[in-house]
Amino acid sequence: LKLAPRCQSKRRHPQPAPMVEGQVDRDAGREPCPDRIIEDLGGAFGMGCAGGFIWHMVSGARNSPKGEKLVGAMLQARLKAPILGGSFATWAGTFSTFDCSLQYLRKRDDHWNAIASGFLTGGVLAARTGVRQAGKAAVVGGVLLGIIEGVAALLMRSTSQTPREQALQQMEQDKQMEEYRKRQAETGGGLFGAGLPPGLGLMGPPPEPEQPPAQPTEKRKKFGVF
């Protein structure tokens, strides 16, 4: 009798969505999907808690009676800050889930994924209020993400160089390197003497050979000889 081999479960590690050749990831500094969802959840929750703590602390201090403003501010902040953090985390988690899903389906990561994810997130989170309100929230989410992505694209284009500027910079660097090699060949100063007189470089002039110290001459007097 042959025993059936023991089944071994192979753990599959999540792989990022394949990218089209020549396609540049718009979020190269972030974690790949699906780890991005966890990162956005934690970041949004922390941001919401920090902002909500400050906001509700000020609000609690203004609404508390005189003499108990500090106690009222701290109580209000501790009660309301986690709620706002949870709302932020819900929105960010839903948005990142749609973003990673669209990235997997479309096989690319561009600004249209973020705009469509904002549209779907706004509609899903407002679905319990009715179709009309969900549609309005979806439009607001799509427009808001469109503005954010548009501003980000403009900033990236203004700070990054165009292909023509990159080509000109490369040509200038090649020209400077050629001049550097010519000076190095003319002066013969090696790595530390390019552009300087022969024998003088960053390390200074070559050391002179040491000479033995001169022996003092002694005058010997002999008998009868001066």
Side-chain angles (χ1 to χ4, degrees), residues 72-207:
M74 294 300 296
L75 180 62
Q76 187 80 359
R78 285 187 297 176
L79 291 177
K80 297 294 184 65
I83 298 176
L84 186 61
S87 300
F88 272 64
T90 302
W91 202 96
T94 308
F95 174 83
S96 297
T97 303
F98 281 123
D99 192 11
C100 291
S101 300
L102 291 174
Q103 180 180 345
Y104 180 79
L105 293 175
R106 299 181 66 235
K107 301 297 186 293
R108 64 180 60 188
D109 187 13
D110 53 10
H111 299 289
W112 291 110
N113 286 351
I115 296 174
S117 299
F119 179 86
L120 294 173
T121 301
V124 168
L125 294 181
R128 61 180 181 178
T129 60
V131 178
R132 182 176 297 181
Q133 294 297 328
K136 291 181 180 179
V139 172
V140 171
V143 171
L144 181 61
L145 265 297
I147 295 173
I148 294 174
E149 293 296 326
V151 172
L154 290 176
L155 290 176
M156 186 180 300
R157 182 174 298 181
S158 62
T159 54
S160 61
Q161 294 180 344
T162 61
R164 178 180 175 83
E165 293 174 349
Q166 293 178 359
L168 292 176
Q169 184 178 5
Q170 184 65 31
M171 292 173 60
E172 185 67 23
Q173 292 178 356
D174 294 342
K175 184 178 179 181
Q176 293 178 359
M177 181 60 66
E178 189 67 25
E179 293 178 356
Y180 170 79
R181 290 174 179 174
K182 288 182 180 179
R183 291 197 305 267
Q184 185 178 5
E186 292 174 358
T187 57
L191 179 62
F192 298 101
L196 296 176
L200 293 179
L202 298 179
M203 302 301 294

Side-chain angles (χ1 to χ4, degrees), residues 15 19 26 36 41 43 53 70 74 82 95 118 130 152 162 167 178 188 190 217-218 223:
Q15 298 292 335
M19 307 297 293
R26 63 182 176 89
R36 183 182 302 179
L41 275 172
F53 187 87
L70 181 60
M74 294 300 296
F95 174 83
T162 61
E178 189 67 25
T217 58
E218 297 181 356
F223 293 100

